[in-house]
Structures are given as C-alpha cells and as structure tokens.
Amino acid sequence: LLQVVCSDRESVVMSHRTIHLFRKGLRLHDNPTLLGALACSASLFPVYVLDCAFLEGAMCLGALRWRFILQSLEDLDTRLRALGSRLYVLHGATAAVLRDLVTRWGVTQISYDTEVEPYYARMEREIQALAQERGLQTFTRASHTLYEVKRIVKANGGSPPLTYKKFLHVLGEAEKPVRDLSAEDFLRCAPPAEPDHEQAYRVPSLADLGLEVEFEVLWPGGETHALQRLHKHFQSQGWVANFSKPRTVPNSLLPSTTGLSPYLSLGCLSVRTFYHRLNSVYAQSKNHSLPPVSLQGQVLWREFFYTVASTTPNFTKMEGNPICLQIDWYHDPEALVKWRTAQTGFPWIDAIMTQLRQEGWIHHLARHAVACFLTRGDLWISWEEGMKVFEEHLLDADYSMNAGNWMWIFCPVRFGRRTDPQGQYLRKYLPVLKNFPSQYIYEPWKAPEDVQLSAGCIIGKDYPRPMVCHIEASQRNLGMMRHVRTEQQNTAELTRDVADDPMEAGLKRELQEEEPLEGAEQHGRSKRFNGDADHKSRPRSWTPETLQLSGGEIIENITSALYYINYFNM
C-alpha cells in the first residue's frame, strides 16, 4: 500500500526532504511510518525532540523513566548509524524546534506516528498547522497499537466498546508487521552532514538533564534489549503457549511475566510483531491458554484500554469522566507520603513500593495490592494520587494503561504470605526486617520483644507500626463503596461485564473471618477508620462479583467505572 501511494506521487517522490519525528515507536522493525517516509524522500532526518517541559508536564517522569528513555534513544541512534543514518536529538518545544528545522534543512515533509493521547493530539494539530502554513506534506500511520482505534470505534457504532466482551466482537483481523528497515532504504536518503553535528545533536546524559539514579539498571532501554528479551522468551514455546496471568507470582524475586511491557509502552518493541509471534506459537500448540489470561489476551487488554481512552473525555481524571464514579475521597497528605515512601507499617505493601522506586517495575498483582491499600482498601485516598506515583516511577507507565483498569481488594498481609511464605521478597526490599523469623515477617508488630531485639529491629522505632487497622478500615470503605455504587448505578453498569474479569475462573465462597491487626497506630482506630455499626461485621457471604485467586485469597471485582489502576503488565 505504501509503495502504491508513493508511486501516485512520482513527481515528488525523489524531491521530499523529510523530518521523521520519533515520539514513541523508538524502533526500526515494523515501523510503517518511517518505511513509507523513506520510500517517498530524497533526504530524511530522523529527529527526536527532547521537550522536557512537555514530557514532564504531560507524564510526570521520574529519573528511572528518564534513564530508560535516554537508553532507548542511544540504542536507536546506534541502530540508525549501522544503516548509514543517525538520530538528531534537539531540545526545546516541539513546534518551535520543527519550525526552525523546516527552514534550516529545507524540509518539505514531516512524518510521525499517530497517537491517541490528548497531549499528542494537541501536538499533531500544531504540526498540521505548521504544515499548512509552510505548504508541507505530512505522512502518518498508526503503529503503536495492534488495531487502528478509530476503526474499532466505528465498527462499534461510533462509540468505544466499554467491556472486553464487546471489544472482542468488533476486532477483525490484526494487521501484520511491515518488513524491517535496511541500509538500502537509507542509502539514497542520507542527510548531508553538518559542522559539529556529532556534539550538536547527541543524546544527552542523565547528568545533562540534572538527574541522578543510584539504582542499578535491571531494564535496559532500547529496541536491541527488547528483541533480545522477546527472543529469549520465545525459545520456550511451551511457556508462551501455557502462560496464564493469574498463575504468575507477584512477589517472586525475578519477574514471572515476560517483562516486555516497558518496551511496548515506549514502542521499542512492536505490538504487532509480538502478537503475530504469539499466533505462530499457538498455531503449533494443541492446547494453549486463552484470552483474557493468555499473553494474547494481555495484548488485547492493551488494545481495549487504548480504544476506550481514545474517545473518553478526561480519561485520567475522576471529574468530567463519564465512565468513572464520583467519589468523595479523603485528603490526607501525611498518609499519602507514608504510602509512597514505603512507611505504611505493612511489610508486603512497603516492599512493593520499595521495588517500584528502585526498579521501576512491579508485578500486576502487586500493583493491585498497593493501589487498593491506597484507595478503597485502607486509606480511601484518590486513585489519581496513586496514578501520579505510578506514572513517575513505572517504566511501562502509559496514559491508557495507567489510567485504565480494575481494582481488587487484597489483604495487605495474607496474600503476600500465601505466595511467599518465607518472606524472601520482603527480606530483599526491606532489609531492616531480614532477620525476623518467617512466622512474624509479614506482621512484625506481633513479634515478642525478645524476637524483635534478636532481629535487630524494634517495631515503632526501626520500622513503623501499621498506619491503620486494616480490618476496620476495609470494612468501612467497603460499605462506602457499595453506597457509591448504589447511588451511581447507571455509571457503574457502563463497564459491567463479568467476562471482562481476568480472574473469572474463581468462584464465590464464604469469607473466612480475618483477625484484626494488633499494634496499629492509635489514629487507625479513629473515627475515620472505625466502621459505623452497619459495617462492623463483615458479611458472611459474597455476591457473584466475589472471586477467588488460586492461592485462596478473596478479592472483589470492581469495574473500571470506579477508578483506575494499571493492569496490563507483561
């Protein structure tokens, strides 16, 4: 198709001087926009604009994410140089930089990938305005998603499908990847060298941006590492075919998922390449896992959230969001700081938040656990506050995914203990507790004084006491959430679909009595966290929404209409 389009423009094919603007899509495999631009150009300048004000304003980037981006740019530059080109990195506001380059380089065309985020849409309008003003051509394709989201919305009658089940009904065939780029593609499109271009357009260092990261690199950025990780996982086709998301372990010391989500988020890895590699494995397997829990199902969840986000106003906010319940959250800056700095007094929660800050990645069930603790489970603080923290630290943070899924209630003690009874995960990320016996490490406040002394950690001094009484807080919050759902039933039903639930295999069962947490701070028994009489006793039976994990932990399904947390994490 790209070649046909270019042949129709034969008179201008060899005359275009093109800027290809990288934003996401930092790769050379399956890059239809770049491939098409090369086919229609005599010279092509691969450009990345380091618009720090835009990036930090739109995405709240932390140092770990900046490091991942810069590593990805360095890798892209290396791969481009191997094909006879290079990456031009410039600093400033994107529109102003492009305006200057159009004049300086005699540019006649700008190419870029189409994105769904509102801030990228605003940028694209500025590019189109510049093109119209200067008489430029623009060339754009959608390549960050498996499907073109506008087509899915159109197939659904002009509005996005708000349930996974409806989404699957309107998908159709996914486009296949385009061929990889080669040196031959760049041979006739090499831009002329400029004086001092090596220094003027180099990828900056963290120090250049005034940043410093003290933690080691566990997730190197870039297409090279993405493809290596993809190849490694597909060497075990049995693991790929039988992958089931609920069976992965949230507190394993090594990721029990693919770890590809950071690379997909930044476009270092093509989702179409990944998806069709999966299809090839499935075609050779008699029995394989199925959506929504399979790897293929995870990709489709990603597409689902991109589609919904593309047409939902204020998707990352509660106010003005038509599919989000309006909840009167508590404003408690002190509690929020304790949560984000791993000082809640609940070791499993604090270990997860420590891993997030140090590594920029946590398992999806761990994400649900800390998110639930912050919001409806314990602290009743808005999901928007938690989303900002995730957006700052998670390498795979994404506008659509970080604001787009479900939330479950997890006990901040028992679920971690079931999956890691010896507490090895806690000992790694909370070394202050490493000498506690396994029977106490998840609830160190219950340890006798002599045990605490022997472990070299006095609770309340060396490690905080629990900031809330979990049983009281969760009972009260559960009652408040049910009240909200009853009052706003129409909104809650918008995204209601049991088939959406990746834990759908679970069955309701009678809730086991949970022992109140001893040793909680006094304010944990204040009016805020003491349930009213109606919420003092936990119901003995649960609704059909109640689901059970394979480990036996009870969770409650809440649809994405309530509030959001990142689920897609591969």
Side-chain angles (χ1 to χ4, degrees), residues 231-269:
H231 176 71
K232 177 181 176 181
H233 282 293
F234 275 86
Q235 285 181 321
S236 177
Q237 295 198 4
W239 183 88
V240 171
N242 296 308
F243 176 95
S244 179
K245 197 64 176 284
R247 295 197 206 116
T248 56
V249 180
N251 44 5
S252 60
L253 294 181
L254 295 174
S256 54
T257 53
T258 68
L260 291 173
S261 52
Y263 303 99
L264 289 165
S265 176
L266 200 55
C268 301
L269 176 64

Side-chain angles (χ1 to χ4, degrees), residues 212-369:
E212 183 178 347
V213 180
E214 59 182 297
F215 305 112
E216 64 178 313
V217 177
L218 297 180
W219 307 83
E223 179 181 17
T224 299
H225 292 284
L227 293 175
Q228 288 173 351
R229 188 178 289 267
L230 180 71
H231 176 71
K232 177 181 176 181
H233 282 293
F234 275 86
Q235 285 181 321
S236 177
Q237 295 198 4
W239 183 88
V240 171
N242 296 308
F243 176 95
S244 179
K245 197 64 176 284
R247 295 197 206 116
T248 56
V249 180
N251 44 5
S252 60
L253 294 181
L254 295 174
S256 54
T257 53
T258 68
L260 291 173
S261 52
Y263 303 99
L264 289 165
S265 176
L266 200 55
C268 301
L269 176 64
S270 159
V271 66
R272 295 188 296 200
T273 296
F274 179 55
Y275 184 81
H276 286 287
R277 287 283 297 274
L278 284 174
N279 283 351
S280 297
V281 172
Y282 292 159
Q284 300 173 43
S285 175
K286 293 182 179 179
N287 298 300
H288 58 80
S289 55
L290 299 171
V293 299
S294 64
L295 282 172
Q296 188 184 61
Q298 299 307 298
V299 173
L300 296 179
W301 274 112
R302 178 183 188 269
E303 296 296 306
F304 171 71
F305 289 131
Y306 266 97
T307 303
V308 176
S310 69
T311 55
T312 301
N314 301 304
F315 188 67
T316 57
K317 303 182 186 309
M318 180 179 73
E319 292 187 12
N321 186 335
I323 66 171
C324 184
L325 293 184
Q326 304 301 297
I327 298 173
D328 188 16
W329 300 106
Y330 293 136
H331 177 70
D332 191 338
E334 181 181 350
L336 177 61
V337 168
K338 288 184 177 181
W339 175 81
R340 70 173 294 155
T341 58
Q343 294 293 309
T344 69
F346 291 90
W348 192 45
I349 299 299
D350 291 341
I352 294 168
M353 295 303 292
T354 300
Q355 184 188 18
L356 169 64
R357 187 176 66 254
Q358 292 181 359
E359 299 178 7
W361 187 92
I362 50 178
H363 189 280
H364 83 282
L365 295 180
R367 301 180 193 208
H368 289 316

Side-chain angles (χ1 to χ4, degrees), residues 22 46-48 73 76-77 80 85-89 201 203:
F22 284 99
V47 167
Y48 185 90
L73 293 176
L76 179 61
D77 183 44
L80 282 167
S85 185
R86 66 154 300 170
L87 182 66
Y88 294 80
V89 179
Y201 302 113
V203 178

Side-chain angles (χ1 to χ4, degrees), residues 325 481-489 492 545 558 562:
L325 293 184
M481 185 58 71
R482 284 175 173 161
H483 180 69
V484 169
R485 292 195 71 185
T486 299
E487 282 195 333
Q488 303 177 46
Q489 185 176 1
E545 293 174 308
I558 304 298
L562 293 180

Side-chain angles (χ1 to χ4, degrees), residues 185-222:
D185 293 310
F186 287 93
L187 187 61
R188 59 181 173 76
C189 293
E194 293 189 9
D196 197 31
H197 72 99
E198 289 294 339
Q199 182 64 22
Y201 302 113
R202 68 179 177 86
V203 178
S205 66
L206 275 174
D208 292 333
L209 301 183
L211 298 172
E212 183 178 347
V213 180
E214 59 182 297
F215 305 112
E216 64 178 313
V217 177
L218 297 180
W219 307 83

Side-chain angles (χ1 to χ4, degrees), residues 17-170:
R17 294 174 62 85
T18 299
I19 288 176
H20 177 75
L21 180 64
F22 284 99
R23 296 183 297 180
K24 290 184 283 190
L26 303 182
R27 64 178 188 272
L28 300 185
H29 74 280
D30 187 34
N31 194 324
T33 311
L34 181 54
L35 184 64
L38 283 165
C40 297
S41 301
S43 295
L44 184 136
F45 299 82
V47 167
Y48 185 90
V49 179
L50 204 57
D51 190 342
C52 292
F54 165 77
L55 289 172
E56 292 177 347
M59 302 181 215
C60 188
L61 298 177
L64 287 177
R65 292 192 66 193
W66 270 118
R67 181 173 68 180
F68 190 81
I69 290 173
L70 295 181
Q71 289 173 339
S72 299
L73 293 176
E74 289 171 352
D75 183 71
L76 179 61
D77 183 44
T78 299
R79 296 176 73 91
L80 282 167
R81 288 175 185 271
L83 300 182
S85 185
R86 66 154 300 170
L87 182 66
Y88 294 80
V89 179
L90 297 102
H91 301 253
T94 301
V97 169
L98 290 178
R99 183 177 296 275
D100 176 65
L101 294 181
V102 165
T103 300
R104 190 193 316 172
W105 290 343
V107 169
T108 61
Q109 178 175 256
I110 301 175
S111 61
Y112 55 90
D113 287 347
T114 302
E115 307 290 353
V116 303
E117 291 90 335
Y119 41 83
Y120 280 132
R122 289 194 296 271
M123 182 186 293
E124 288 169 16
R125 287 194 291 271
E126 292 178 350
I127 295 173
Q128 292 292 341
L130 172 62
Q132 185 173 6
E133 174 190 333
R134 297 291 185 90
L136 309 176
Q137 296 288 323
T138 58
F139 186 88
T140 182
R141 292 287 184 271
S143 66
H144 193 63
T145 51
L146 188 61
Y147 296 90
E148 213 287 316
V149 294
K150 291 182 179 179
R151 185 187 64 76
I152 295 177
V153 171
K154 182 178 180 181
N156 195 56
S159 62
L162 295 181
T163 71
Y164 191 72
K165 184 178 180 180
K166 291 179 180 178
F167 174 76
L168 294 179
H169 281 313
V170 295

